[in-house]
Amino acid sequence: MNKPRYEVDTQGYYGQFGGAYIPEMLYPNIEALRERYLAITSEPSFQQEFQALLRDYVGRPTPLYWAKRLSEKHGARIYLKREDLCHTGAHKINNTIGQILLAQRLGKQKIIAETGAGQHGVATATVCALMGMECMVYMGKLDMERQRPNVERMRILGTQVVPATSGNMTLKDATNEAMRHWINHPTDTHYIIGSVVGPHPYPDMVARFQAVISEEMKRQLIEKEGNPFPDYVFACVGGGSNAAGAFYHFLADEHVQLVGVEAGGRGIDSGESAATTALGKPGVLHGSRTLLMQTDDGQVVEPHSISAGLDYPGIGPMHAHLFDIGRVTFVNVTDDEAMKAGVALSRTEGIIPAIETAHAMAALDQFEFDKDDVVVINLSGRGDKDLETYIKWGQY
Ligand SMILES: *Cc1c(COP(=O)(O)O)cnc(C)c1O
């Protein structure tokens, strides 16, 4: 039997998913990236600068914390990988640091990005300030109204936030307008995508930058458990970048059970959810063939999640493939279950998680563990940004 394949192939495919479905005008940009990303990111000088910034600027390695009370509650040995302690409060900065170093080596002077809730926009604005590069972030006009603090954070950091006024004035429209800008400014501008989505080579490139998460986990598990392999790794999945990073170095080790947690919203039968593996079918979204929620005639279905970071109608092609071949188990939890798990973690461990992350926490209730099972949950971000949502929900 052939060994299952987890990495991307040279055409940018993970099994039947992936590729680069882009307008012809973008070929030169995507080609340049595809030809050079592996060579550039493996240069010693790149790695030196990347590792130094991850250490001294982001604050890596992030701790792997043994959660004693949570472990007692669930009857397993539970560890939290503390990405919430990264500078700017989540894993997203691992990727934006990597991409800005790459952009510099490609000779680009300007950065563009799109953002929905604003978290990727803030992580991008941060690294642009750090490097003294000009930055424009496209954001739906409606999202700008809903996510005012992040808009102002980006502005304080010196980024120009550009309202997208087409369509529903949300993430999809911001993405379209950022793409249009890139088409018109191909030579001086790099487009920083914030998750393992988009045309090849973005999914693979972002996964590699985030892979530092599982690389550290292995080292830390050797120290704490005498064995690099946990029994389970849990991560929430929006586009899938924190999950890709948390799974990456365990993919070939079939005895490690990998669990991706999607947003069930108001329930997967409610018509208001973002549970792509439960509801999606193959199609093309944002430049790659992947699973996405769509109507019978192929219109993208508007997703819903209480968490802005999981409110996305697709998943990255790598995850679509891992779902397809059964390497990753996907489950979903509702808005309410996630909110309860967020408050529970706050009271059990004194850590208020991002609501995205609270989904990963809530999934623990769907599993029966042995008391010796080593379970790692990727704590993708902190809850400061979500205070309004906690307050509105109110049940604490
Ligand atoms: C953006 C975000 C996510 C979702 O994005 P992925 O690419 O799926 O990781 C999850 N958690 C936090 C804290 C986020 O900010």
Side-chain angles (χ1 to χ4, degrees), residues 90-92 119 195 236-242 309-310 354 356-357 380-381:
H91 66 288
K92 286 198 173 71
Q119 292 307 110
S195 190
C236 64
V237 178
S241 69
N242 88 87
L310 303 185
E356 291 86 355
T357 314
S380 59

Side-chain angles (χ1 to χ4, degrees), residues 111-396:
I111 297 295
I112 55 167
E114 88 293 332
T115 196
Q119 292 307 110
H120 173 56
V122 169
T124 303
T126 299
V127 298
C128 287
L130 175 69
M131 297 299 175
M133 279 169 87
E134 202 179 301
C135 181
M136 282 167 65
V137 172
Y138 285 86
M139 189 168 185
K141 189 160 170 283
L142 186 66
D143 288 337
M144 284 178 70
E145 286 158 18
R146 293 191 293 199
Q147 308 288 340
R148 185 80 197 286
N150 275 342
V151 173
E152 299 310 322
R153 274 184 194 109
M154 288 186 265
R155 287 180 172 150
I156 291 169
L157 290 161
T159 280
Q160 186 192 347
V161 184
V162 186
T165 53
S166 56
N168 294 336
M169 301 191 237
T170 59
L171 179 62
K172 178 162 60 65
D173 315 294
T175 306
N176 289 340
E177 295 191 23
M179 284 280 180
R180 201 167 308 141
H181 180 102
W182 206 23
I183 288 171
N184 292 324
H185 303 82
T187 47
D188 64 350
T189 301
H190 175 68
Y191 181 8
I192 299 189
I193 291 182
S195 190
V196 285
V197 300
H200 179 67
Y202 279 99
D204 183 50
M205 180 167 74
V206 176
R208 285 166 184 265
F209 289 143
Q210 293 292 359
V212 64
I213 298 172
S214 47
E215 188 185 314
E216 289 174 5
M217 278 180 191
K218 279 183 131 168
R219 271 207 313 274
Q220 292 166 322
L221 283 168
I222 290 175
E223 218 171 85
K224 290 170 198 293
E225 293 284 336
N227 176 353
F229 300 113
D231 296 288
Y232 294 86
V233 181
F234 284 75
C236 64
V237 178
S241 69
N242 88 87
F247 297 164
Y248 197 89
H249 289 287
F250 298 115
L251 283 171
D253 303 291
E254 310 274 341
H255 57 286
V256 180
Q257 297 199 48
L258 306 173
V259 183
V261 186
E262 293 191 300
R266 301 203 167 90
I268 57 168
D269 299 321
S270 68
E272 294 181 80
S273 95
T276 307
T277 57
L279 300 170
K281 291 193 277 301
V284 171
L285 180 70
H286 296 152
S288 68
R289 181 180 152 81
T290 189
L291 286 173
L292 66 135
M293 304 195 319
Q294 53 190 313
T295 59
D296 287 339
D297 54 1
Q299 298 279 12
V300 174
V301 171
E302 207 51 46
H304 163 83
S305 167
I306 194 164
S307 140
L310 303 185
D311 199 351
Y312 185 68
I315 47 170
M318 168 186 164
H319 291 294
H321 177 58
L322 293 171
F323 169 71
D324 204 28
I325 62 175
R327 176 65 187 96
V328 173
T329 304
F330 282 84
V331 300
N332 58 77
V333 308
T334 64
D335 289 350
D336 248 28
E337 289 165 340
M339 294 308 294
K340 282 183 188 139
V343 172
L345 180 67
S346 305
R347 295 187 178 180
T348 313
E349 296 291 344
I351 299 169
I352 304 176
I355 294 169
E356 291 86 355
T357 314
H359 285 71
M361 303 304 310
L364 291 178
D365 291 332
Q366 301 181 17
F367 288 74
E368 292 264 345
F369 301 112
D370 287 335
K371 71 175 185 357
D372 294 330
D373 281 346
V374 173
V375 178
V376 180
I377 302 155
N378 197 37
L379 213 104
S380 59
R382 56 182 175 242
D384 305 32
K385 69 180 177 64
D386 293 322
L387 212 57
E388 277 302 320
T389 311
Y390 277 108
I391 293 167
K392 231 171 164 177
W393 185 68
Q395 299 173 41
Y396 50 84

Side-chain angles (χ1 to χ4, degrees), residues 29-40:
N29 273 332
I30 296 292
E31 265 308 292
L33 263 185
R34 190 183 63 79
E35 277 171 13
R36 298 186 60 195
Y37 81 109
L38 289 175
I40 290 176

